[in-house]
Amino acid sequence: MSRLHRRSVLALAGTVLSAGAAGCLEFIDDDGEDLTEPGAGDVDIVWDDLVRVDPDTEDERVFVWAVVKNVGDRTLNYVEIRATFVDAAGAELESVIEHVDEDVSSGEEWSFEVEFPQFGEQAAAVAGYELEPVTGV
């Protein structure tokens, strides 16, 4: 087998392995622990609100404040909440992730905030948001 042909075979094998593993790695965190699918039923958002600070100025900031509850039967040691900020037409402006890296017992609630990463006019364009939980054991 020629050197060029071996390289082609190795490159193709790497591509096949990468493509095969891509779907498997979708919900794996940095420590290699599996994460369950979003909205898997372990976490419930019990309260949330969009808050504006310094509206109609160049310093305007936007936050989502929320309270989340572990409604599952197990203690969670990683909880991730994804906030997607949208404009008045429903177009996505930015997606931001907030996480808790501590044990959250069954029945426990905790509050968190997710800040839109831009200020001023960009923050003023935020008309709504969506929250999506992802949990890990």
Side-chain angles (χ1 to χ4, degrees):
M1 188 180 274
S2 74
R3 177 183 279 178
L4 183 58
H5 185 66
R6 271 187 295 207
R7 287 184 182 167
S8 298
V9 169
L10 289 174
L12 179 61
T15 302
V16 169
L17 286 174
S18 295
C24 298
L25 299 177
E26 189 170 313
F27 290 101
I28 303 246
D29 68 14
D30 292 338
D31 297 330
E33 295 180 17
D34 290 332
L35 299 178
T36 59
E37 294 285 336
D42 289 328
V43 176
D44 190 23
I45 299 168
V46 296
W47 179 84
D48 59 280
D49 195 18
L50 187 68
V51 178
R52 293 186 185 278
V53 177
D54 297 325
D56 301 321
T57 70
E58 64 184 39
D59 295 325
E60 180 170 350
R61 297 181 330 201
V62 178
F63 299 87
V64 172
W65 288 22
V67 176
V68 180
K69 182 176 184 176
N70 178 353
V71 295
D73 295 333
R74 58 191 175 143
T75 296
L76 305 173
N77 63 17
Y78 183 84
V79 178
E80 179 179 285
I81 305 292
R82 185 172 298 119
T84 303
F85 295 90
V86 297
D87 65 13
E92 182 178 326
L93 298 172
E94 193 80 41
S95 186
V96 181
I97 296 172
E98 176 66 27
H99 67 276
V100 177
D101 272 332
E102 57 189 60
D103 290 346
V104 181
S105 300
S106 179
E108 186 177 355
E109 291 184 353
W110 71 98
S111 62
F112 69 92
E113 67 180 50
V114 181
E115 183 176 2
F116 183 73
Q118 300 177 36
F119 298 85
E121 285 183 37
Q122 291 87 0
V126 174
Y129 61 92
E130 294 177 12
L131 296 176
E132 178 182 31
V134 177
T135 61
V137 293

